[in-house]
Amino acid sequence: MRNLTLAYYRDEVGQELLMFKKENSTSIYRWLHYVEQNFDAIFKDMKVDYIVRALGSNETSNINQHTPLDLMGILLAQKFNAKYVTNILTKERTPQLKFAGNQYNRKQILDHKYNCDLKSLDKNATYLIIDDVSTTGTTFNEIIRAITEASNNKAMLNTFSLVQTLWNRDYTSDKQNYNSKFYKQLTA
């Protein structure tokens, strides 16, 4: 399993991600363009059959299909020559995770809340699960659990998030420099 992320949810990068989430067209273009232009470097010979996105805090299924993350899923499916699937995950309504605090609380909120129905999809396939922010990995872990159970442990799973959150103590000068460089490339 590969867990990929582009940058850290800090400083200008964090602001740019908030604009992406708020459906700012310039920001959406920047993130999509960055991933498209750097696809080979980001995914390094990864093979993927299906792309699936995490559901937002207010979603119980992927009925919108026009969110910025859906656009990312569609782009990635094109680049991988894969299929973007929108109908395999459902989720019970949960409180918003941004108010959950630590990893333990987040896990309690999401525990067995995702369900997966692979229908006629290949259970031996490779899936790329995408999300805009990875905070503690809890959402990815819950989706991985759901897909693993639905595939009888046959699916290969990878994750990709645009940004990852860090504790202040973990945001070292190296990571701050990386984020600054990334932001310049993202907005070039």
Side-chain angles (χ1 to χ4, degrees):
M1 176 179 349
R2 287 168 63 184
N3 299 305
L4 305 170
T5 191
L6 296 179
Y8 303 103
Y9 194 22
R10 293 302 198 109
D11 307 323
E12 300 96 349
V13 173
Q15 294 305 310
E16 194 67 31
L17 185 79
L18 285 174
M19 291 178 14
F20 175 85
K21 290 171 73 86
K22 292 180 180 180
E23 302 184 7
N24 175 281
S25 59
T26 301
S27 184
I28 293 168
Y29 170 79
R30 286 176 176 164
W31 287 98
L32 292 172
H33 182 73
Y34 182 89
V35 169
E36 184 173 30
Q37 294 302 304
N38 296 283
F39 179 83
D40 292 333
I42 297 166
F43 296 100
K44 297 181 182 113
D45 300 319
M46 183 186 285
K47 304 290 185 222
V48 171
D49 300 302
Y50 300 108
I51 311 285
V52 61
R53 78 161 168 88
L55 300 175
S57 58
N58 293 325
E59 294 180 300
T60 56
S61 66
N62 184 357
I63 57 170
N64 187 344
Q65 298 181 29
H66 298 292
T67 70
L69 204 52
D70 285 310
L71 297 175
M72 184 63 71
I74 291 165
L75 170 69
L76 289 171
Q78 291 169 348
K79 297 297 285 181
F80 276 115
N81 194 26
K83 183 173 181 182
Y84 179 55
V85 290
T86 59
N87 60 347
I88 68 167
L89 290 179
T90 57
K91 181 182 76 165
E92 293 177 32
R93 191 159 305 280
T94 61
Q96 289 192 349
L97 289 175
K98 66 182 175 182
F99 302 116
N102 63 35
Q103 184 174 9
Y104 176 80
N105 290 343
R106 295 171 74 85
K107 182 170 177 21
Q108 296 305 310
I109 290 170
L110 279 181
D111 189 40
H112 284 79
K113 296 297 191 248
Y114 271 91
N115 294 300
C116 180
D117 183 354
L118 295 180
K119 298 182 180 148
S120 62
L121 299 184
D122 182 3
K123 292 185 178 183
N124 293 309
T126 300
Y127 292 80
L128 179 65
I129 306 162
I130 64 171
D131 203 352
D132 47 18
V133 179
S134 176
T135 302
T136 62
T138 303
T139 300
F140 280 143
N141 289 339
E142 175 59 11
I143 295 170
I144 288 167
R145 180 209 54 80
I147 294 174
T148 299
E149 286 180 7
S151 72
N152 297 321
N153 294 319
K154 294 179 182 177
M156 298 292 296
L157 302 161
N158 300 291
T159 66
F160 171 65
S161 62
L162 300 180
V163 297
Q164 173 186 353
T165 58
L166 292 175
W167 292 97
N168 287 338
R169 68 176 181 262
D170 296 329
Y171 194 49
T172 62
S173 60
D174 287 346
K175 290 177 179 171
Q176 192 171 12
N177 290 336
Y178 172 87
N179 241 30
S180 180
K181 182 180 174 184
F182 174 84
Y183 180 73
K184 288 177 186 169
Q185 293 174 344
L186 181 68
T187 58

